[in-house]
Amino acid sequence: MGNKVTRRRFLRALGAAATCLGLINTVGCALPRMSPAAAKGVWAFRSRPDLTPAAAEVTTTQAHDETASGYIFAASKEGTGDHGPMIIDDVGQLVWYGKYGSARDFKMQYYQGRPVLTWWEGTVVHGHGIGEYVIFDSSYREIARVRAGNGFRGDLHEFLISPQDTALLTSYAPARIDLSSIGGPKYGRVWDSIAQEVDIETGRVLFEWHSLEHVSIEESYFKRPDDPYHLYDYFHINSIDVDHDDNLIISSRNTCAVYKVERNSGEVLWRLGGKKSDFKMGPGTQSAWQHDARRHNDGTITVFDNGAHPKVHDQSRGIVIEIDEEKMSATLLQEYTSPEKLLTTSQGNMQLLPNANVFIGWGSAPVISEFSYEGKLLFNAHFPPDVESYRAFRFPWKGHPTDAPTVVAESGFDAEVTLYASWNGATEVVTWEVLAGPSPGQLKSAASFPRDGFETAMLVQTSDPYVAVRAKDRFGQALGASAPFKI
């Protein structure tokens, strides 16, 4: 039985150019990418028709050596396409997609010394989450599930794994408090913002902090609801970070302030911004309705400053603030804004990358950007207009799925067969090898093709009834193979 590719017939049938490789005394012709995102902004793959997430369109990209290494992590949560966590590359091609539609805060972290994928999943009510936190290994298998302790429910805003393999997470709980000082009822209903530290392995609560015990309602800029039955979200915790001295950095959206909290007592050590700032706030340092406050090795603090809802700034921005804890002063070092002048009313984050670049997820605006530290826009990608990702990141990642590659075949004229191969989450595939033979146990190499995005289309001509595909890495080592199937 023979296997070959007829280039003349291939070009005549497609009316387009083909990429050909001569390997193992045969010629393999890879079709031009045949499964692009559909016009409506949703991916459509022949080999994985079950995966239809929103597609990202890359609109700005610089030389590869200017952007940081790694993949892009996002999680669509509403709008076009299926929702869930996704990893994409620098040209917008899908690398991995998980059908976990409620996912928030999808990122790579380290657990027990190994890189893992983490996210929150659950139900969103009144802007808060009721759910759990998931940890997947590099083979996309769930290895742990974390819950808030002491009867509270895990909120979507933060899930941070510490070097000690504990989890820092947020929760919200209804409470009653005297609101007469701000014109409300004596027994008013409010949301208490909670920060917890939980041992991941045992679930034991190691630390718990309540905003109502340490921050007065008078610090809030948020308007009290007129309806006395509507809970007043005066604080709205939305990030937790660990400072150099092991104390915590907590961001409050509705007091427009960042708090340093003593990890044992819960005492507020200082406030950055807001009505009671302990720092003299230099020009441009005051944020409004901010998210994602992070402390860095050089002592700076980064913040994603939404500046809207209600509107305070003309556009949202990422900012780097230098704080002097002796002089108690705050100075703006850098500011990052989108050339599109985005004003995002909710969500968003700012990540400092290892090469000093800055990565921003614009929250309620469907945009992801990377800047040089000096502010040059290096990368910009858009999801469809109705899609949101709570945060977005760039991380290195190596994925090794435990399932097999997927392949489908479409028969053509004169024994021509078009194969579509993919392997959701496999990051090391460089080459697809097509195998063909008279029976499932007698397959031989027929041709090889370079991987071309999430799904690679390949054309072969064979009179053999059985085919399969084998994925290989850059060293030519086999990573996995599909099951043989009859054409």
Side-chain angles (χ1 to χ4, degrees), residues 175 185 272 306 310 353 428:
L272 176 68
N306 296 76
L353 299 171
E428 307 304 295

Side-chain angles (χ1 to χ4, degrees), residues 382-454:
H382 291 71
F383 285 108
D386 58 350
V387 171
E388 293 183 2
S389 178
Y390 169 53
R391 290 172 175 165
F393 302 91
R394 185 188 284 279
F395 290 113
W397 179 251
K398 290 185 178 181
H400 308 279
T402 56
D403 59 349
T406 304
V407 63
V408 297
E410 297 176 358
S411 299
F413 296 104
D414 297 329
E416 290 178 340
V417 179
T418 305
L419 303 175
Y420 300 92
S422 64
W423 200 4
N424 189 26
T427 61
E428 307 304 295
V429 179
V430 172
T431 303
W432 287 106
E433 183 183 21
V434 177
L435 309 173
S439 69
Q442 294 179 290
L443 301 183
K444 293 183 179 180
S445 181
S448 291
F449 306 84
R451 178 186 177 275
D452 185 27
F454 183 87

